Amino acid sequence: MSPASPTQAPPISFDDTRVAFASKSDAQLRKVYALFAAMNNGTLVKTGSGLMKAALKWGLPGTKFLIKHSIFEQFCGGETIAECRPVTNELGKYNIGTILDYSVEGEGSDRSYDHTRDEILATIEEAHRSKHIPFSVFKVTGVANVAILEKIQAGKLLTADEEAAHARAVARVEALCARAHQHGVRLFVDAEESWFQHTIDQLTYNMMAKYNRETAIVWNTYQLYRHDRLDALKAAHDAAAEAGYYIGAKLVRGAYMEKEARVAKQRGYENPINPTKNATDALYDESLSYCIDHIDRISICAGTHNEASSLLLTQLMQQAGIAPNDPRVWFAQLYGMSDNLTYNLANAGYNTAKYLPYGPVAAVMPYLLRRADENTAIAGQSSREFLLIQKEIRRRQQQ
């Protein structure tokens, strides 16, 4: 039998629960099963979220312990970078990378912006030291004033104080990109709301032009539930090709759909979100194809929990003769979700990573409650997780 071509990977089945849950003991699997069973109940999630917030606010004894050893443990790596290391090492055993995601929402002061910058610098240093951390990530609003970003996008003049504050924000972003470039650590710039996303885009492209001369160090994020994002990606590619730098593109579907629709209605402009989920899926898949067609200039990370899009990207890679472990192509999912994608992709040799949020329990509660809401709201997501865990428990019982 002849050896497999370097561009071929073993067939992937995202239903292979043996691979998906290989890292979990029977006890761990039962615990996750109980959590997703609870999250599958919309009423319970709504009631439980309110109770958790109230209990933390009132400082009820045992609340932090209970949260930390349930929903926090499922979706977060720890309260500090050091606490995340066992998770990072465990994922690394299965050839899955970790993306440390500092998930504390800032207070809107220079002090909090500087603290966030320093924390992201620490994640870059950690990525530099660890073979299991392929990316760092940050939100521009973690180091910059939202109102100023919005004002710039609206074409309004800044006051002298605002100009100075924005210069400090740009310096923070510059510090992150410079450190990432120094260590050769890829750095994701997360996408945010449309009414200041263009400001973020321009700042990110300026950093790309400076730091992406040899390879894609700085990566922008494209929310494909917006109907204009493939056009934005194409324009970014053309500008990069002309100026001689590389594009890093993280493709996601998006995170602010209801908010985008509400603000568009309030402000009287067209909703930037695609009219249907099918339209978003089609645009996402078209964007994957565009990136693979322009792989000489664009590095891509498919940040998705969608099985069809993940499978499509593996097929596009094989058709283009791109090896599964080509450093220009990555897959990523959130920690605690879609292990059937992450572990099966990694098992087949693809570059795969988990977003691993971390931070003090009380400070990451907004993130955790969004995860609970999303798992309940996304059609079939928690049910899908729940059914896969059920299937694996039955498989183990029948052995």
Side-chain angles (χ1 to χ4, degrees), residues 288-356:
L288 292 177
S289 184
Y290 179 83
C291 289
I292 293 299
D293 287 345
H294 297 84
I295 197 68
D296 59 326
R297 182 68 56 182
I298 301 177
S299 293
I300 175 180
C301 176
T304 182
H305 292 229
N306 185 284
E307 295 180 16
S309 293
S310 299
L311 188 60
L312 173 65
L313 182 52
T314 68
Q315 294 165 346
L316 291 170
M317 291 173 69
Q318 291 194 21
Q319 290 164 12
I322 299 170
N325 63 348
D326 189 300
R328 297 169 297 181
V329 185
W330 284 80
F331 297 79
Q333 289 81 40
L334 296 171
Y335 182 70
M337 294 172 63
S338 298
D339 285 349
N340 64 312
L341 293 184
T342 314
Y343 282 79
N344 279 294
L345 284 164
N347 188 60
Y350 291 93
N351 296 320
T352 312
K354 285 286 198 186
Y355 255 69
L356 187 66

Side-chain angles (χ1 to χ4, degrees), residues 87-100:
V87 178
T88 297
N89 292 332
E90 179 65 19
L91 289 170
K93 290 178 187 175
Y94 297 89
N95 296 316
I96 296 167
T98 291
I99 305 166
L100 291 171

Side-chain angles (χ1 to χ4, degrees), residues 195-225:
W195 49 94
F196 54 89
Q197 181 61 47
H198 182 70
T199 310
I200 292 172
D201 287 345
Q202 292 310 117
L203 178 56
T204 304
Y205 295 142
N206 290 343
M207 295 297 140
M208 285 187 185
K210 186 169 185 178
Y211 294 110
N212 288 11
R213 290 287 163 177
E214 296 88 23
T215 187
I217 293 292
V218 180
W219 293 50
N220 202 15
T221 303
Y222 299 86
Q223 299 190 103
L224 275 310
Y225 68 177

Side-chain angles (χ1 to χ4, degrees), residues 44-121:
L44 187 61
V45 167
K46 204 168 193 178
T47 305
S49 296
L51 288 173
M52 279 193 290
K53 282 191 276 191
L56 280 171
K57 183 179 178 181
W58 297 333
L60 294 183
T63 301
K64 178 180 171 181
F65 180 87
L66 182 63
I67 293 170
K68 189 166 185 178
H69 293 278
S70 56
I71 189 171
F72 183 92
E73 185 178 70
Q74 177 65 20
F75 297 111
C76 297
E79 295 194 77
T80 64
I81 291 173
E83 281 190 17
C84 290
R85 286 176 190 142
V87 178
T88 297
N89 292 332
E90 179 65 19
L91 289 170
K93 290 178 187 175
Y94 297 89
N95 296 316
I96 296 167
T98 291
I99 305 166
L100 291 171
D101 183 11
Y102 183 58
S103 296
V104 176
E105 300 186 354
E107 301 165 2
S109 65
D110 272 336
R111 182 180 175 183
S112 74
Y113 297 146
D114 288 344
H115 175 76
T116 299
R117 173 204 59 205
D118 292 345
E119 191 67 33
I120 305 306
L121 286 171

Side-chain angles (χ1 to χ4, degrees), residues 247-269:
I247 293 284
K250 182 179 63 159
L251 305 186
V252 301
R253 276 169 168 77
Y256 309 102
M257 188 163 66
E258 291 81 6
K259 190 176 184 181
E260 289 282 359
R262 184 174 68 250
V263 172
K265 186 175 181 180
Q266 288 170 349
R267 299 186 183 183
Y269 60 79

